[in-house]
Amino acid sequence: MAFDADDEILQDFLVEAGEILEKLSEQLVDLEQHPDDSNLLNAIFRGFHTVKGGAGFLQLDALVNCCHSAENVFDILRNHKRRVDSELMDVVLEVLDHVNAMFEQVRNREELTPAPDELIAALDALALPQDAAPSAAAAPLEKPSEAGLEDGDITDDEFEQLLDALHGEAPAAKADTSPTQEQPAAGHGGSGDDITDDEFEALLDELHGKGKFAAQEAPGAGAGAKAAAGPVAGNDAELISDDEFEKLLDELHGKGGSPTTGDAVHKPAEPQQEQAETAKPGQQKNKANAQPVAKAPAKNPAPAPAAREQAPVAETTVRVDTKRLDDIMNMVGELVLVRNRLQRLGSASEDEHMHKAVSSLDVVTTDLQTAVMQTRMQPIKKVFGRFPRVVRDLARSMKKEVNLVMHGEDTDLDKNLVEALSDPLVHLVRNSVDHGIEAPDVREKAGKPRQGTVTLSAEQEGDHILLSIDDDGAGMDPEVLRRKAVEKGIYDQDAADRLTDTECFNLIFAAGFSTKEQISDVSGRGVGMDVVKTKIGQLNGQLSIVSELGKGSRIIIKVPLTLAIMPTLMIVLGDQSFALPLVNVVEIFHLNLSRTNIVDGRECIVVRDKVFPLFHIKRWLVKGSSGTADRENGHVVIVAMGTRQVGFVVDQLVGQEEVVIKPLGRGLQGTPGMAGATITGDGRIALIIDVPSLLQHYS
């Protein structure tokens, strides 16, 4: 193991291999649904091949062996010598699990734990053709190339194998060459980077078929060569110059490269043929002109100036440490606070130029803030990519048939949210497969297709992301949920009977609540959905459930796009300012506080036939305050967190303001109901209210 290698090389491997392994999990499950997709087979083959190459460079032998065996299997599959089936996929997916485990050990600089010998042996057995004897496993290296040439094209890996096959025969080829041919090679020091004329002709025959590039052989280099060149001695128009030939080599082997240096870059066949067909037999002007054509393969590649003129476009991406992005985001946050302060001062000024300057600053700051936030965004596909494997494994273990459909995988949200949403979504998807989708026989009796469908979708709505998990399963029965709530002691019978269907559905998020009669390794302990509710609450998100018995269920999650800069509703309690996250605010209205009701000993209000608990949060947050009991009218803000909605009575509404969340100092950390602090437009410090924590502690 070469962890002492250049740390930059190791980091490059971790980034590249990490991205490939993330894709492989999704591609393998997709392959089981589309076993004849040759593009998918080639992509998986290249994925294992690339990881193997990087691991070999770092001398990670256990990882190399595992990837090599998997690569052999997909070489057989893409050459149609074996069919993809569930048993094969079980073995390959288990191998991928071990590859991922070893990759994590590399990341942590730990000693690698090799995959079990039995697993590698099972994989090697699958690398044999289904209808061939075991001895057929040692197939010639040129086979993949032949398969790729059926449609006139070959892949990069096939081209590499072709070169390996050619250079494995190089000594014999060189032994047969004449002194005339050996002289140019000797002039270059006999470098292993050169190829002989015979090898070059064989390479062209392999790429384009025999005869298309049968240029006049140089080994004769005597009267025969003159005779061959003589008939077209006056035909200057059809000659190929040295520069054109160098360009042809660049097309074949990449600019500035040779057949054995670097990976060959595959190019379309047509341009090569157009440039090289001028080298057909009988088109050389004379011996002097024909000789460079024969010697050209042994020359060094095109000169540097020509390569620079045709250099590919420079990379358009750059890898940046996330800490640097966080620092930039913090600085933009400070700029937002200064802008807010200037806006407040500008509104109090009557200077027209001041108003224009502040307005321009507002536009520029908003654009800068948006641009910096975009650099922190990642597609939610990073999370979605793991679910095909989760659903596939769970369905096979539970003897169910489930199809996962995903929409909106390219929806972007803050990288911190992408990581935070991973666990809640896993629990919700597993819940849909386990509790929602019925067994195939049960579905058939109910008149449904044997295969159930779980749909995972994401979309942006304003400054929020909406995630939904749908299934076409059995749905939820409110009566069963009420009975379970009474059995668990969550409600007495009278309170349970008064629960609405939506409130019954929300019971599944209660700690320790489960409708499963038996505990399994998947469900039954009432933990998973409680984790979902807690995590979504920490993200200032909301949860809602819609379900219909016999038709299926839908769980909807609403979370903010980012947690760094937060739009808030500024309120005043007494003479202190507070910020309510706008994501939690549902509606605001003016209320006659004398028209409230008492239900189960709690003050409530009725709005459009809907009952909301009412809380005078001034009593909780302002010391010595008696709330607004002595006032007849007040402002009520309806807030939502998770599945609950309640009303907060406040003294004054200031308006909407974007704030930067600053952590509380060491002396205030852990204060119930407080998410952090910020500086308002008038220069005052305002505490940011954490609605779930506030209700949990005080109510």
Side-chain angles (χ1 to χ4, degrees):
M1 182 179 322
F3 286 146
D4 55 344
D6 188 344
D7 190 63
E8 186 176 347
I9 296 175
L10 179 60
Q11 291 305 317
D12 286 344
F13 169 73
L14 292 174
V15 172
E16 182 184 16
E19 293 173 353
I20 291 171
L21 292 176
E22 281 181 10
K23 291 179 184 176
L24 277 176
S25 180
E26 187 176 351
Q27 288 171 335
L28 287 171
V29 177
D30 193 21
L31 179 65
E32 196 168 17
Q33 307 297 322
H34 308 93
D36 297 322
D37 190 334
S38 59
N39 290 332
L40 198 54
L41 284 167
N42 280 322
I44 296 170
F45 174 85
R46 285 194 296 269
F48 280 114
H49 179 78
T50 304
V51 175
K52 182 187 81 170
F57 186 81
L58 294 170
Q59 301 174 22
L60 306 172
D61 295 336
L63 190 54
V64 170
N65 295 338
C66 210
C67 290
H68 180 69
S69 295
E71 182 185 14
N72 290 340
V73 172
F74 283 94
D75 194 21
I76 289 292
L77 291 174
R78 68 187 187 143
N79 287 309
H80 311 295
K81 296 178 181 178
R82 179 179 283 276
R83 296 278 300 172
V84 175
D85 54 39
S86 298
E87 288 70 24
L88 181 146
M89 293 307 301
D90 285 341
V91 175
V92 173
L93 287 169
E94 187 177 350
V95 167
L96 181 63
D97 289 339
H98 284 281
V99 170
N100 280 321
M102 284 187 274
F103 180 74
E104 286 303 316
Q105 290 173 329
V106 174
R107 190 192 298 277
N108 298 327
R109 309 286 181 105
E110 299 172 356
E111 192 71 28
L112 298 193
T113 304
D117 293 339
E118 301 80 20
L119 182 62
I120 298 299
L123 199 60
D124 290 339
L126 292 171
L128 302 176
Q130 269 178 327
D131 54 352
S135 60
L141 282 171
E142 58 268 26
K143 285 290 182 184
S145 299
E146 293 171 3
L149 283 169
E150 289 175 1
D151 58 355
D153 201 1
I154 63 172
T155 66
D156 296 347
D157 298 313
E158 290 168 342
F159 190 71
E160 289 177 20
Q161 289 183 341
L162 171 62
L163 291 177
D164 291 341
L166 287 172
H167 292 297
E169 300 169 358
K174 288 184 179 180
D176 294 335
T177 55
S178 66
T180 311
Q181 290 173 305
E182 292 171 358
Q183 186 64 30
H188 292 285
S191 169
D193 290 346
D194 297 331
I195 64 172
T196 66
D197 299 338
D198 292 339
E199 291 173 336
F200 185 75
E201 292 296 336
L203 172 59
L204 291 179
D205 288 343
E206 289 287 350
L207 286 172
H208 306 293
K210 288 188 178 296
K212 290 192 176 183
F213 286 87
Q216 197 58 247
E217 293 292 341
K226 290 182 181 180
V232 289
N235 192 355
D236 293 338
E238 295 185 293
L239 289 175
I240 177 169
S241 67
D242 290 350
D243 290 338
E244 289 174 298
F245 195 84
E246 296 292 352
K247 187 176 180 182
L248 169 60
L249 287 180
D250 287 343
E251 291 282 353
L252 286 172
H253 306 300
K255 294 180 174 56
S258 67
T260 57
T261 57
D263 292 330
V265 180
H266 178 66
K267 302 285 183 182
E270 289 81 7
Q272 300 169 7
Q273 292 176 354
E274 290 174 6
Q275 295 170 6
E277 279 180 355
T278 56
K280 289 181 179 178
Q283 292 181 349
Q284 288 85 345
K285 184 174 181 179
N286 50 40
K287 179 181 177 182
N289 288 335
Q291 190 68 12
V293 177
K295 294 180 180 180
K299 288 185 178 181
N300 282 336
R308 281 198 297 270
E309 291 173 5
Q310 301 176 6
V313 179
E315 287 188 35
T316 58
T317 58
V318 62
R319 199 170 293 145
V320 180
D321 193 332
T322 54
K323 184 181 182 303
R324 185 170 298 179
L325 291 178
D326 292 339
D327 291 342
I328 295 173
M329 195 68 189
N330 289 336
M331 288 187 282
V332 170
E334 296 296 335
L335 183 61
V336 169
L337 295 178
V338 174
R339 178 202 64 183
N340 293 344
R341 177 71 174 145
L342 284 174
Q343 281 181 320
R344 188 69 64 91
L345 294 173
S347 62
S349 171
E350 296 181 358
D351 188 340
E352 183 180 351
H353 296 293
M354 177 72 166
H355 282 290
K356 287 183 178 180
V358 171
S359 179
S360 298
L361 177 65
D362 182 29
V363 172
V364 172
T365 306
T366 302
D367 290 345
L368 178 61
Q369 175 186 333
T370 303
V372 173
M373 285 174 60
Q374 287 296 328
T375 64
R376 292 167 52 94
M377 295 293 187
Q378 287 184 333
I380 201 167
K381 185 176 183 179
K382 191 175 177 67
V383 179
F384 279 15
R386 69 168 60 182
F387 294 123
R389 173 73 186 279
V390 170
V391 171
R392 185 254 184 203
D393 290 349
L394 195 56
R396 278 182 66 80
S397 68
M398 302 183 72
K399 305 295 189 291
K400 293 183 178 181
E401 297 177 16
V402 185
N403 178 39
L404 177 66
V405 179
M406 296 188 290
H407 300 296
E409 298 144 283
D410 295 329
T411 304
D412 290 333
L413 70 163
D414 192 283
K415 69 178 184 67
N416 294 334
L417 279 171
V418 169
E419 296 162 2
L421 284 170
S422 180
D423 284 344
L425 287 176
V426 167
H427 284 296
L428 291 173
V429 170
R430 287 167 64 93
N431 185 75
S432 292
V433 175
D434 185 19
H435 293 270
I437 303 297
E438 314 97 322
D441 294 341
V442 176
R443 291 180 61 86
E444 213 164 29
K445 289 177 183 176
K448 296 181 179 181
R450 288 180 62 84
Q451 187 181 62
T453 301
V454 175
T455 305
L456 191 59
S457 60
E459 61 178 318
Q460 184 174 340
E461 186 183 77
D463 56 354
H464 299 88
I465 291 290
L466 287 181
L467 302 168
S468 65
I469 299 93
D470 300 69
D471 67 72
D472 63 350
M476 289 187 273
D477 187 346
E479 292 303 324
V480 172
L481 294 170
R482 288 188 181 96
R483 188 178 70 248
K484 282 286 183 182
V486 174
E487 290 175 5
K488 299 279 185 182
I490 298 174
Y491 290 104
D492 58 32
Q493 189 63 52
D494 289 341
D497 291 339
R498 291 199 301 269
L499 293 175
T500 64
D501 288 353
T502 301
E503 290 170 333
C504 288
F505 299 151
N506 290 335
L507 286 172
I508 67 172
F509 295 110
F513 188 92
S514 177
T515 56
K516 280 281 186 178
E517 299 296 338
Q518 294 182 340
I519 295 176
S520 68
D521 59 345
V522 178
S523 62
R525 294 181 174 83
V527 174
M529 301 303 278
D530 179 45
V531 170
V532 172
K533 177 185 174 184
T534 303
K535 195 68 177 179
I536 298 301
Q538 290 172 352
L539 299 175
N540 290 321
Q542 301 173 30
L543 275 169
S544 61
I545 303 178
V546 179
S547 184
E548 186 176 349
L549 189 60
K551 297 292 181 65
S553 303
R554 165 181 281 193
I555 299 177
I556 301 169
I557 302 173
K558 184 179 181 182
V559 291
L561 271 174
T562 179
L563 299 177
I565 295 178
M566 179 185 294
T568 63
L569 174 67
M570 301 302 298
I571 60 174
V572 175
L573 302 174
D575 58 353
Q576 297 181 25
S577 297
F578 293 88
L580 270 173
L582 208 58
V583 67
N584 296 120
V585 176
V586 178
E587 63 177 311
I588 305 167
F589 54 85
H590 195 65
L591 179 70
N592 184 343
L593 298 178
S594 63
R595 299 175 58 185
T596 59
N597 303 292
I598 303 298
V599 178
D600 290 339
R602 179 176 294 172
E603 190 175 8
C604 298
I605 55 172
V606 180
V607 181
R608 293 186 293 276
D609 298 327
K610 198 170 182 180
V611 179
F612 296 99
L614 196 64
F615 298 102
H616 297 262
I617 58 174
K618 184 177 178 180
R619 299 172 186 170
W620 300 342
L621 301 178
V622 180
K623 189 175 182 180
S625 172
S626 59
T628 54
D630 55 337
R631 295 173 51 187
E632 291 187 0
N633 298 305
H635 301 286
V636 177
V637 181
I638 302 295
V639 297
M641 60 288 146
T643 57
R644 292 181 63 191
Q645 290 190 355
V646 300
F648 287 165
V649 179
V650 301
D651 291 346
Q652 185 181 343
L653 299 170
V654 178
Q656 182 178 340
E657 190 171 307
E658 284 188 332
V659 302
V660 180
I661 304 175
K662 297 293 183 183
L664 296 172
R666 185 173 300 175
L668 295 175
Q669 275 184 352
T671 303
M674 294 298 123
T678 189
I679 300 174
T680 64
D682 58 4
R684 302 171 67 187
I685 294 176
L687 293 172
I688 301 172
I689 296 176
D690 180 358
V691 176
S693 171
L694 186 74
L695 287 172
Q696 184 178 2
H697 182 77
Y698 291 104
S699 67

